[in-house]
Amino acid sequence: MSTTRERRRRVSLADVARLAGVSSNTVSRVVRGDGEVADSTRRRIAEIIDEVGYRPNYAARALAGNKTGVLHVVLAAPMFHGHGQTLLAVMDEAGGADYTVSVTNAYLGAGRIDNGAPPFQVDGVIILGGQQPTVELAMEMATHTPTVLLLANETNLPGVSTVSVDNAHGTEVATRHLCQAGVRSLTHLAGPDSWSDADRRREGFVTACEAAGVNYDIVTNPSWNAEDGYRTVKAMATLPEGFVAANDQLALGAMRALHERGVDIPHEVKIVGFDDNDGAECYLPPLTTIRQRFDLVGRAAINQMASLLEGEAPTDVLIEPELVIRNSSLV
């Protein structure tokens, strides 16, 4: 009868080799994806690996070849829609490039983060950011590990590659859309001051309003939540002809307040959001918004990491968002 220790013993590469009737070197080549193994042998080894639940020993791999095949993702911001979609995109792209992904939640709340250091050696670190402390974290990580910083709206950081969405361009496009629809007074429902996304979207709004010569106002919300958009608009003594919301949730709250006030959207007031959250087309009316291509962010992140691992210099990538026009801004 087997003991508890025997039942829990980790399956080794040598175990797989013994079961497959091949050498440990042959199993190692299959695990690494080496092409110099016969298809029938590869299939037999793959079936055994799946059956016995073998997992590569990344620490041993690191000692042998200074590569682990592991990328570590640090979650350094709340998991809002964009960060969740970006994480899924990074994991999908990493899997397609034969990397394993480990994840650490470094966000402590209220804009605070811990060091997010991976618990073992990894080939590179990808940080999902958005608030100022993530910039310092990325620069520190880059002193000893290839590092890519996502969604922080920063460029030219020492040793760090970055991928961001062009948030300023997104709100410029959204604001110009409303101006071209004849709107002459606009309010920006801005996100929290602690977020770089909110800063860039505010800048884009101001740039477009001043270029069009329209009257405008900015109201900064304490969070990205629909409740704050609702409270802000409910408290307004007079309404503008149009709103540019810093995200779809603020737009949702604003639309509820407008409905309660008996305002006809879009005939009396038009509104545009930002993100194109799942369900934005089901708002009443369907929400015109700025779509962020988080799939492209994930792809760019893995491409950036591959370049760093090949010894290339850090670079910055800016992804352009897209205007999605729906009924909330159309008459």
Side-chain angles (χ1 to χ4, degrees):
M1 183 170 63
S2 63
T3 67
T4 299
R5 178 173 294 182
E6 288 172 338
R7 287 198 302 271
R8 293 180 179 176
R9 185 176 68 85
R10 182 187 181 114
V11 177
S12 70
L13 186 142
D15 293 330
V16 176
R18 177 175 51 79
L19 292 169
V22 298
S23 69
S24 294
N25 284 339
T26 299
V27 176
S28 180
R29 286 199 295 271
V30 170
V31 171
R32 294 197 310 267
D34 193 321
E36 296 182 2
V37 178
D39 287 343
S40 59
T41 302
R42 184 187 305 279
R43 285 194 297 271
R44 185 169 75 256
I45 292 171
E47 288 172 359
I48 292 171
I49 286 173
D50 184 60
E51 180 181 341
V52 301
Y54 169 70
R55 294 294 179 268
N57 186 329
Y58 295 115
R61 186 188 297 182
L63 290 172
N66 202 33
K67 293 292 183 183
T68 65
V70 179
L71 300 180
H72 188 69
V73 176
V74 178
L75 307 179
M79 289 299 285
F80 292 132
H81 168 78
H83 289 79
Q85 293 297 311
T86 300
L87 174 61
L88 292 175
V90 166
M91 295 181 73
D92 184 55
E93 293 292 332
D98 293 327
Y99 284 106
T100 297
V101 175
S102 62
V103 181
T104 293
N105 181 19
Y107 185 69
L108 302 177
R112 298 174 299 114
I113 58 175
D114 65 21
N115 64 22
F120 45 79
Q121 182 179 339
V122 297
D123 291 345
V125 172
I126 297 173
I127 301 173
L128 269 66
Q131 295 180 289
Q132 186 58 32
T134 58
V135 175
E136 288 77 14
L137 175 63
M139 290 191 293
E140 193 281 327
M141 287 269 191
T143 62
H144 51 79
T145 307
T147 300
V148 179
L149 176 60
L150 307 184
L151 305 178
N153 299 283
E154 296 287 348
T155 58
N156 300 313
L157 299 177
V160 180
S161 286
T162 70
V163 185
S164 295
V165 173
D166 193 341
N167 287 283
H169 176 72
T171 46
E172 279 190 59
V173 170
T175 305
R176 283 201 303 268
H177 168 68
L178 291 181
C179 292
Q180 290 166 0
V183 173
R184 303 305 298 170
S185 62
L186 284 164
T187 293
H188 179 45
L189 300 175
D193 284 330
S194 59
W195 283 81
S196 58
D197 286 358
D199 294 339
R200 299 296 183 274
R201 293 173 194 179
R202 189 182 296 109
E203 292 168 6
F205 173 77
V206 171
T207 297
C209 286
E210 293 188 346
V214 299
N215 296 321
Y216 68 90
D217 187 23
I218 299 173
V219 180
T220 299
N221 291 274
S223 79
W224 295 100
N225 298 332
E227 292 84 353
D228 284 313
Y230 170 73
R231 283 192 287 264
T232 293
V233 175
K234 184 177 181 179
M236 296 178 74
T238 59
L239 296 173
E241 295 176 11
F243 286 99
V244 176
N247 77 342
D248 289 351
Q249 287 298 298
L250 291 170
L252 175 62
M255 291 169 77
R256 177 191 166 190
L258 292 172
H259 287 312
E260 289 183 356
R261 293 173 67 145
V263 175
D264 186 326
I265 309 170
H267 294 87
E268 295 178 272
V269 174
K270 296 175 172 55
I271 186 164
V272 178
F274 202 114
D275 281 338
D276 197 26
N277 282 351
D278 293 340
E281 72 279 6
C282 295
Y283 286 20
L284 186 63
L287 181 65
T288 294
T289 188
I290 298 295
R291 175 179 294 157
Q292 301 193 69
R293 292 293 305 276
F294 297 114
D295 58 326
L296 299 184
V297 174
R299 187 176 308 161
I302 299 305
N303 289 338
Q304 295 281 73
M305 181 58 71
S307 295
L308 290 176
L309 293 175
E310 291 171 2
E312 297 182 15
T315 55
D316 302 306
V317 172
L318 201 58
I319 307 293
E320 281 203 3
E322 308 166 354
L323 175 66
V324 179
I325 300 175
R326 299 191 181 103
N327 291 15
S328 69
S329 64
L330 295 176
V331 175

